[in-house]
Amino acid sequence: MKNDRFDFEEEFHARDKKQFRKERKRLTEGDRSKFKKTDQTKKDTVIDDTLPRGQVVSITGEGIWVEHENNRVLCALRGGLKKEKLLVKNLVAVGDFVRLDLETSSIVQIEPRFSTLARTEIRGQREQLIAVNIDQVVIVAPLVEPPLKPALIDRYLIAAAKGNIRPIIVLNKTDLLDENPTETALYHEFLAAYEPLGFPILSVSTTTHAGIDALRSLLQGKTTVFAGQSGVGKSSLLNAAFGLSLKTGELAQKTYKGTHTTTTAELITLPGGGHVVDTPGTRSFTLWNLTREDVVAHFRDLGVWAKECRFPDCGHVAEPGCAVLKALKEGKLPLMRYESYCSLLEEAAGGADNRTRRKMSEE
Ligand code: GDP
Ligand code: ZN
């Protein structure tokens, strides 16, 4: 009996390992080609510092809008650069720092980028840049209406890490906590689970203005992108912090559908300095390639325990000798973190049913 079980485990893991290796090979190959596509055009470029400098604020049907010394100039790509365009979906992106020939209104050089926010094109394998040279991403998550979804926050945290963008978690609608004890409990559970991870977390409300001054100073002088599902309060927060008049609620969704100027992202200049990337809807941030490696790298708090699992390739689902499940049972690992890990892993694997796994972890 004992032997049978042992053989089964061996076989299970041998198969798993093979699958994992195959998957890893596929992923690293994919990653390499992606890297090449983004960077090959920039490698040998020597930037001419004597040329006027500007920043791409939006790309529309009319052309590329570049901000140069507080003016907006409608530009086109110079011929030489256009050839390179064949290699990438979008050679120039919102947020790019460019060198200009003002006489012909053309972009002659594109400076190397320090960060990118990308998604995979819906059809095909090319990478599509949403915006570049972003300092930070504000992940807006409401505490109530709709309730907090930690897995969604982790998803954005992974996206930020991949794009080399500093994440800030903003928990919104704190004004609604008083009347909602369940959500309040969830809020405290979230703080206990996520504060030790070291990410900046700010609790705010556009209704009471709590935390809005702190948010404003975090955004001042920086280029920030807001992430979060529709209706979480992104526009309301910007309006509250900077006196802007971005449309909110249902009205905002209607206008976005009808607009043709903001089919891609747009840089909004903030009063007092800094920019915010405005994007039509938020679907842009949910369409990117999540890999098993991304998930494992992000959940470092699980990794601490994983080192002690009996099998080095333990998936922490139902394997014998799993130290992660043991830590969970003993209350050393927050259930919220484990659940988020499971749901993201499921997504990375392409949506396998993990209800059974959850059940097991709760036993
Ligand atoms: P966006 O789609 O992320 O830009 O979200 P909106 O800014 O349009 O806000 C969606 C809805 O949430 C609107 O009806 C806002 O009035 C509401 N809302 C935004 N912030 C708060 C808040 O702090 N408290 C409450 N109670 N409602 C908020
Ligand atoms: Zn394990």
Side-chain angles (χ1 to χ4, degrees):
M1 198 58 203
K2 206 178 169 196
N3 264 342
D4 279 348
R5 189 178 162 84
F6 182 73
D7 288 347
F8 167 75
E9 279 172 15
E10 283 284 277
E11 198 194 300
F12 172 79
H13 286 283
R15 209 173 43 209
D16 219 23
K17 238 183 210 158
K18 208 171 150 198
Q19 184 62 32
F20 178 69
R21 272 199 218 109
K22 240 167 89 183
E23 180 69 359
R24 191 174 53 193
K25 188 159 175 267
R26 191 183 66 77
L27 290 169
T28 44
E29 277 170 358
D31 279 356
R32 229 174 273 141
S33 64
K34 195 172 97 182
F35 181 76
K36 233 180 3 200
K37 272 178 202 157
T38 319
D39 286 5
Q40 63 190 1
T41 52
K42 312 288 174 323
K43 263 189 194 133
D44 308 320
T45 314
V46 178
I47 298 300
D48 184 349
D49 285 340
T50 61
L51 293 175
R53 186 177 194 242
Q55 187 172 29
V56 174
V57 290
S58 75
I59 300 170
T60 69
E62 297 162 285
I64 304 159
W65 287 96
V66 178
E67 195 171 88
H68 166 69
E69 290 177 355
N70 295 323
N71 284 317
R72 291 206 167 187
V73 192
L74 186 60
C75 294
L77 284 179
R78 172 162 286 182
L81 279 176
K82 268 190 207 149
K83 269 187 212 145
E84 296 177 46
K85 196 175 176 188
L86 297 170
L87 303 169
V88 281
K89 161 81 182 157
N90 39 4
L91 183 62
V92 68
V94 167
D96 260 328
F97 290 103
V98 293
R99 297 291 168 162
L100 303 166
D101 175 350
L102 288 172
E103 271 177 31
T104 57
S105 296
S106 45
I107 295 171
V108 292
Q109 288 187 317
I110 303 165
E111 295 185 12
R113 298 155 180 161
F114 63 81
S115 73
T116 57
L117 189 66
R119 66 168 174 175
T120 310
E121 224 186 341
I122 298 167
R123 282 158 198 254
Q125 291 302 304
R126 288 189 303 179
E127 183 183 40
Q128 184 174 9
L129 297 172
I130 297 160
V132 300
N133 297 328
I134 299 147
D135 299 304
Q136 52 192 17
V137 55
V138 165
I139 301 165
V140 184
L143 294 164
V144 183
E145 282 175 13
L148 205 57
K149 295 188 192 85
L152 212 59
I153 297 177
D154 281 309
R155 205 168 195 291
Y156 291 127
L157 288 171
I158 297 172
K162 282 178 89 168
N164 191 30
I165 307 168
R166 178 177 110 105
I168 300 167
I169 301 170
V170 169
L171 304 174
N172 190 26
K173 309 193 186 183
T174 53
D175 56 291
L176 299 176
L177 281 181
D178 286 346
E179 315 138 35
N180 294 280
T182 316
E183 279 85 352
T184 306
L186 200 64
Y187 170 54
H188 291 298
E189 194 187 334
F190 180 85
L191 291 181
Y194 282 73
E195 269 178 345
L197 304 176
F199 298 110
I201 303 174
L202 194 63
S203 304
V204 302
S205 163
T206 58
T207 311
T208 63
H209 252 248
I212 297 296
D213 288 344
L215 177 67
R216 183 172 45 245
S217 39
L218 282 173
L219 301 188
Q220 212 78 75
K222 298 275 196 314
T223 297
T224 309
V225 61
F226 273 59
Q229 288 179 314
S230 168
V232 296
K234 299 180 295 297
S235 318
S236 307
L237 286 171
L238 280 168
N239 290 347
F242 293 97
L244 303 180
S245 44
L246 302 172
K247 296 201 172 66
T248 60
E250 280 171 25
L251 204 58
Q253 284 168 36
K254 268 188 201 143
T255 44
Y256 266 133
K257 270 184 201 150
T259 187
H260 58 274
T261 47
T262 323
T263 48
T264 61
E266 183 175 5
L267 278 193
I268 298 177
T269 307
L270 295 174
H275 288 96
V276 157
V277 181
D278 193 22
T279 55
T282 51
R283 279 161 300 160
S284 331
F285 298 98
T286 52
L287 287 166
W288 58 277
N289 237 352
L290 183 70
T291 67
R292 185 193 153 97
E293 282 77 0
D294 294 332
V295 179
V296 171
H298 171 68
F299 285 87
R300 278 189 294 266
D301 45 338
L302 256 84
V304 172
W305 301 106
K307 273 187 238 146
E308 289 161 31
C309 291
R310 189 186 304 166
F311 301 103
D313 59 347
C314 184
H316 326 305
V317 176
E319 291 87 343
C322 173
V324 171
L325 293 178
K326 187 165 171 270
L328 188 66
K329 225 171 218 170
E330 291 169 358
K332 291 173 183 161
L333 176 74
L335 178 64
M336 198 179 252
R337 288 290 292 164
Y338 180 72
E339 282 184 338
S340 180
Y341 166 80
C342 287
S343 90
L344 288 175
L345 203 62
E346 175 192 285
E347 194 186 308
D353 187 352
N354 81 343
R355 252 171 305 176
T356 346
R357 297 175 191 172
R358 293 252 179 92
K359 252 191 201 148
M360 279 173 165
S361 73
E362 280 160 18
E363 271 165 20

